[in-house]
Amino acid sequence: MKDSFILYNSFYDPLKGLSDQDKARLFDAIFCYHIRGEVPDMSPVCQMAFNFMKGQFDRDSEKYLSTIVERNRRNGARGGRPPKDTYNPNDPQKPTGFPINPENPDEPKKADNVDVDVDVDVEKEKIKKKSKSFSAPSLSEIESFFAAKITEKGLSLNAKIEAEKFESFYSSKNWMVGKNKMADWEKAVSGWIARTPGNGKPQPKQFTPKYAEI
């Protein structure tokens, strides 16, 4: 049995011509029908008004029952209540058989939030990286970094020339790498050096034979 029912504004027109006494009887009949499923004796005019509303009441009840059935179906698809063998008849305080948290016997064990926390941290890190604005380096900064990398790797590249080519190339592209804004120009310098023909590696020294003096 439902705990409530709906009275529609459209009901008023057929009822407004009834006397106050008939309206009271009709109102009582509506409650009897919803609470006990009974229809008390009424005058013909009250019976006519009640029959007009009864069709809508029945449709509302069918809609309510179909909603309950659908909700139970969805709950059943998610697993429903635990199997009977999980019930513990020896523990009347916990008749449902749900697992108890050993650290706190009075509370059910809570689900771990590790995955949720990890996902949140990953999203925060992504947002932080996206929000970090790119600042184009100066030519002197680029040259200094080229020089450091070339010295570190023992290459034979000219830092000044490569820095000028690097700066000219990327500034003409508005410091874009593909469709995205450059995120790390120092990493781009390392890639530039790696892609340089011959990789800028020092060439082996030519062997010059020594001739005996005559």
Side-chain angles (χ1 to χ4, degrees):
M1 182 185 68
K2 295 193 300 180
D3 294 331
S4 61
F5 57 89
I6 301 174
L7 289 176
Y8 295 86
N9 292 335
S10 59
F11 291 169
Y12 183 70
D13 284 338
L15 307 181
K16 63 183 179 182
L18 298 178
S19 65
D20 291 342
Q21 185 177 10
D22 285 337
K23 288 178 180 176
R25 289 174 179 172
L26 178 60
F27 196 63
D28 182 71
I30 293 172
F31 272 101
C32 288
Y33 180 70
H34 281 91
I35 295 174
R36 298 193 295 271
E38 301 173 355
V39 180
D41 293 333
M42 293 176 285
S43 64
V45 66
C46 286
Q47 186 68 51
M48 184 182 302
F50 177 81
N51 289 340
F52 170 78
M53 294 185 291
K54 180 176 178 296
Q56 185 62 53
F57 291 150
D58 292 342
R59 286 191 292 273
D60 290 346
S61 295
E62 290 175 1
K63 184 177 180 181
Y64 172 78
L65 291 176
S66 64
T67 301
I68 296 299
V69 171
E70 177 62 18
R71 185 188 66 188
N72 291 341
R73 186 193 67 78
R74 291 197 302 268
N75 291 340
R78 289 197 292 264
R81 65 184 300 174
K84 291 183 179 180
D85 58 0
T86 62
Y87 284 75
N88 185 2
N90 298 322
D91 187 5
Q93 294 181 350
K94 300 293 181 182
T96 60
F98 287 108
I100 307 302
N101 186 349
E103 298 178 0
N104 187 357
D106 295 330
E107 295 294 336
K109 184 177 180 179
K110 296 182 179 179
D112 295 333
N113 292 326
V114 175
D115 293 339
V116 176
D117 293 339
V118 171
D119 292 340
V120 171
D121 291 340
V122 171
E123 287 301 319
K124 286 182 178 179
E125 189 64 26
K126 288 181 180 179
I127 293 173
K128 186 185 297 184
K129 288 182 179 179
K130 288 182 179 179
S131 62
K132 185 179 180 180
S133 58
F134 172 77
S135 180
S138 65
L139 180 58
S140 61
E141 289 177 319
I142 299 173
E143 184 178 342
S144 296
F145 192 76
F146 260 103
K149 280 293 181 182
I150 290 171
T151 301
E152 175 187 329
K153 296 180 179 294
L155 305 178
S156 60
L157 293 174
N158 186 301
K160 180 177 178 60
I161 294 175
E162 296 301 325
E164 289 175 350
K165 290 193 293 185
F166 178 89
E167 196 275 339
S168 177
F169 176 78
Y170 281 109
S171 62
S172 67
K173 296 169 64 69
N174 196 26
W175 296 94
M176 300 290 289
V177 179
K179 296 182 179 180
N180 302 316
K181 196 74 171 180
M182 180 181 290
D184 188 343
W185 69 267
E186 293 181 346
K187 185 176 180 180
V189 167
S190 298
W192 179 283
I193 293 174
R195 292 189 299 271
T196 301
N199 202 25
K201 294 180 180 179
Q203 299 299 319
K205 295 181 179 180
Q206 295 292 334
F207 176 73
T208 304
K210 295 183 178 180
Y211 297 95
E213 294 182 357
I214 297 177

